Amino acid sequence: MDLHLLRLLQNDARTTYRDLAAQVGVAPSTCLDRVTRLRRAGVILGHRLQLDAAKLGRGLQALLSVQVRPHRRELVGPFVERIRALPEARTVFHVTGPDDYLVHVAVADMADLQRLVLDEFTARREVARVETRLIFQQWECGPLLPPGAGTGAGPGGGGHAQS
Amino acid sequence: MDLHLLRLLQNDARTTYRDLAAQVGVAPSTCLDRVTRLRRAGVILGHRLQLDAAKLGRGLQALLSVQVRPHRRELVGPFVERIRALPEARTVFHVTGPDDYLVHVAVADMADLQRLVLDEFTARREVARVETRLIFQQWECGPLLPPGAGTGAGPGGGGHAQS
DNA sequence: CATGAAAATTTGAGAGC
DNA sequence: GCTCTCAAATTTTCATG
């Protein structure tokens, strides 16, 4: 049942417990219990607003591959914190491969992106290389569920999964 | 004021209008008006749950660079839709550069990742190349705000950090 | 996991600046 | 035009079986 709740909440995190209850087939208070448990268990980390970057004057997004050399803790810790503090930064990934970090940024326009790369990345001594990829379009995908959970309600269509 | 509201809501999208009002310094109904307006204007697209992938049995995340050849509409449209439908996919980026797509995936383990790459990517005729980068760690960054918005609360208002 | 009541919030209408 | 006050509808929350 938790999975059912999570799937519904990922479609719209503002769904009321009443609607949740109606769709899952239990009482609203039960939904509250389950969701509270999921929250306390750390499965639900928080609720984030999904904003239109273009409407906020950040119509250009890009992914920056960054090589940090030497790749030592003393350097990469402050580097990540500095990047995270940038208003343009959306997500920072520490990844395997020749490039150490992948930074998703949202900027106003090309001039803004150029300024960001030159002033905040290549200007730093520990940044050995930056590769910029512009984002044409992006798609958020379906709900994140445990492996094997599938999307259906289960065999027979009327069965209730029990936890 | 809208910016102030957006900043607070990005910290926690579940903040009540009452708390919002207290922190911004206006009446709750005014907050409702502004947020409703932002929602109708399309600035606020929706509310998303932030989940712990590891707690859902998807402790391994990766970024896949994918080359789709030939890069024509008849091929890339279905390709994107197919990838979006994968339970493992989280985000798909269409980007500039030698690699056409960057796909953020969350899987159970290395064997699961191998299966995903072999069965869902390289097995497809239009996929010319896949490059896999594992994600050590990732950080979501601060609120997305218009360029130049800074962090100040503006004249007259006392900036309050949340409790 | 359900019931049912109490507390809090959301929501809309109308007044005032 | 924008914000506030006030009251009703709805939702959240909790004690209990």
Side-chain angles (χ1 to χ4, degrees):
Chain A
M1 178 196 306
D2 287 341
L3 300 181
H4 198 164
L5 289 173
L6 286 177
R7 198 164 65 243
L8 292 171
L9 282 173
Q10 282 182 88
N11 286 340
D12 178 9
R14 275 167 63 86
T15 311
T16 64
Y17 292 121
R18 183 180 150 279
D19 290 348
L20 241 42
Q23 292 186 63
V24 177
V26 297
S29 61
T30 304
C31 291
L32 171 66
D33 264 5
R34 303 300 275 242
V35 173
T36 303
R37 281 180 81 90
L38 287 169
R39 204 183 307 271
R40 278 218 305 264
V43 177
I44 296 177
L45 296 170
H47 296 241
R48 290 184 73 92
L49 228 50
Q50 198 184 4
L51 299 181
D52 186 329
K55 290 231 168 72
L56 283 170
R58 296 184 177 274
L60 182 59
Q61 294 187 243
L63 289 161
L64 308 181
S65 296
V66 184
Q67 244 183 31
V68 175
R69 290 297 139 82
H71 198 57
R72 297 205 318 262
R73 276 192 187 275
E74 309 94 84
L75 287 172
V76 303
F79 168 78
V80 170
E81 287 313 312
R82 184 77 179 80
I83 299 306
R84 289 186 66 186
L86 293 175
E88 292 86 358
R90 303 200 63 177
T91 317
V92 178
F93 298 96
H94 184 193
V95 295
T96 63
D99 293 317
D100 305 309
Y101 292 93
L102 209 94
V103 185
H104 180 191
V105 299
V107 294
D109 50 36
M110 208 56 96
D112 199 20
L113 180 59
Q114 185 184 30
R115 175 195 59 73
L116 183 71
V117 170
L118 292 178
D119 292 350
E120 302 293 346
F121 287 85
T122 58
R124 300 175 68 80
R125 190 189 309 271
E126 69 271 27
V127 173
R129 201 172 72 93
V130 176
E131 198 177 296
T132 303
R133 268 170 289 187
L134 304 180
I135 297 173
F136 285 133
Q137 192 176 1
Q138 69 182 288
W139 299 265
E140 297 293 328
C141 302
L144 179 67
L145 291 175
T151 55
H160 293 290
Q162 200 58 266
S163 56
Chain B
M1 180 197 303
D2 287 341
L3 300 181
H4 198 165
L5 289 173
L6 286 176
R7 197 165 64 245
L8 292 170
L9 282 172
Q10 281 182 88
N11 285 341
D12 178 8
R14 275 170 66 83
T15 310
T16 64
Y17 292 121
R18 182 183 150 279
D19 290 347
L20 241 42
Q23 292 186 59
V24 177
V26 296
S29 61
T30 304
C31 291
L32 171 66
D33 263 5
R34 302 300 276 243
V35 173
T36 302
R37 180 172 296 180
L38 286 169
R39 204 182 308 271
R40 278 216 306 264
V43 177
I44 296 175
L45 295 170
H47 296 241
R48 291 183 73 90
L49 229 50
Q50 199 184 2
L51 299 181
D52 186 328
K55 290 232 168 72
L56 283 169
R58 294 182 177 275
L60 182 60
Q61 295 188 242
L63 289 160
L64 309 180
S65 297
V66 184
Q67 243 183 33
V68 175
R69 291 295 139 82
H71 198 58
R72 297 204 319 261
R73 274 193 189 276
E74 308 95 84
L75 287 173
V76 302
F79 168 78
V80 170
E81 287 313 312
R82 185 78 179 78
I83 299 306
R84 289 185 65 185
L86 293 175
E88 292 87 357
R90 303 201 63 177
T91 317
V92 178
F93 298 95
H94 184 193
V95 295
T96 63
D99 293 317
D100 304 310
Y101 292 94
L102 208 94
V103 185
H104 180 191
V105 300
V107 294
D109 50 34
M110 207 58 95
D112 198 21
L113 181 60
Q114 185 183 32
R115 176 196 57 75
L116 183 72
V117 170
L118 292 178
D119 292 351
E120 301 294 346
F121 286 86
T122 58
R124 300 175 66 82
R125 188 190 311 273
E126 70 271 26
V127 172
R129 199 174 72 95
V130 176
E131 198 177 295
T132 303
R133 268 170 288 187
L134 304 181
I135 296 173
F136 286 132
Q137 192 176 1
Q138 70 182 285
W139 299 265
E140 297 292 327
C141 302
L144 180 67
L145 291 175
T151 54
H160 293 292
Q162 73 176 21
S163 52

